[in-house]
Amino acid sequence: MVDTLNTHKPKAIENHGESLTLTPLEYLDVANLHHVLRQWVRSDGVVLYREIGTIRQEMLGSLGRVRSERRYYALRDSKGVAIGVCGFKKPADDMEQYKSTPETEAFEMVNVFLDDDYRGRVLGRELMEYGFDSSREIGAQEIIWNS
């Protein structure tokens, strides 16, 4: 478990003439991200509602806890509405094998979602880098990507 609250400082960015903000996830973000999470579909177009429900519960469970398994970061539009989210956690047992050494402090990137209207603008990279920076601040030496 991570023993600190998610206190990474907000970061303002300009993208295509729009002012956006990267911040730790907040409660209201989880509801605002519903339309983004609904974009997660199988190849036949079926929305993955059960998986979305699980991720929403994991996001809610990470909020306001000093000892949390996960950390989530949001990208907000100029109105302050969450349009993307990225999550990190300590590696699951089956992911430990991907650390460079057994002693390396690593986090696993578990989710990245970005509103379709904001894709292709390098915002997913901005969101992930914000999560990487925050993870380093609380001790991560490397990130394991899991998709």
Side-chain angles (χ1 to χ4, degrees):
M1 285 194 207
V2 180
D3 289 330
T4 60
L5 284 172
N6 199 359
T7 58
H8 196 64
K9 293 183 178 11
K11 177 182 176 185
I13 58 173
E14 290 290 322
N15 187 278
H16 291 255
E18 186 174 2
S19 296
L20 306 168
T21 309
L22 294 155
T23 67
L25 188 75
E26 297 176 1
Y27 283 102
L28 185 57
D29 296 330
V30 179
N32 289 337
L33 285 164
H34 184 71
H35 77 284
V36 176
L37 297 177
R38 287 194 56 203
Q39 295 169 4
W40 191 18
V41 298
R42 294 190 322 210
S43 60
D44 61 3
V46 173
V47 177
L48 301 171
Y49 288 108
R50 185 172 50 191
E51 291 86 347
I52 291 168
T54 299
I55 289 171
R56 287 177 55 125
Q57 290 303 312
E58 289 169 346
M59 284 192 274
L60 287 169
S62 74
L63 296 170
R65 297 177 58 198
V66 173
R67 295 179 62 83
S68 178
E69 291 289 332
R70 295 173 183 260
R71 293 285 182 262
Y72 286 93
Y73 306 96
L75 173 64
R76 295 194 179 90
D77 66 13
S78 58
K79 297 175 187 169
V81 176
I83 55 170
V85 65
C86 186
F88 295 83
K89 69 174 190 145
K90 291 295 227 169
D93 290 342
D94 63 335
M95 297 301 289
E96 288 282 332
Q97 64 182 319
Y98 298 108
K99 293 178 8 177
S100 57
T101 70
E103 299 79 26
T104 300
E105 186 68 28
F107 281 26
E108 178 182 350
M109 187 169 62
V110 291
N111 305 111
V112 180
F113 295 96
L114 185 62
D115 187 304
D116 282 343
D117 293 339
Y118 290 85
R119 292 185 182 173
R121 295 170 45 177
V122 194
L123 293 170
R125 177 186 295 174
E126 291 274 1
L127 181 56
M128 288 186 298
E129 287 179 359
Y130 181 79
F132 297 160
D133 290 344
S134 182
S135 297
R136 278 191 290 275
E137 282 185 6
I138 57 175
Q141 297 168 306
E142 63 187 26
I143 304 293
I144 300 169
W145 294 42
N146 183 6
S147 65

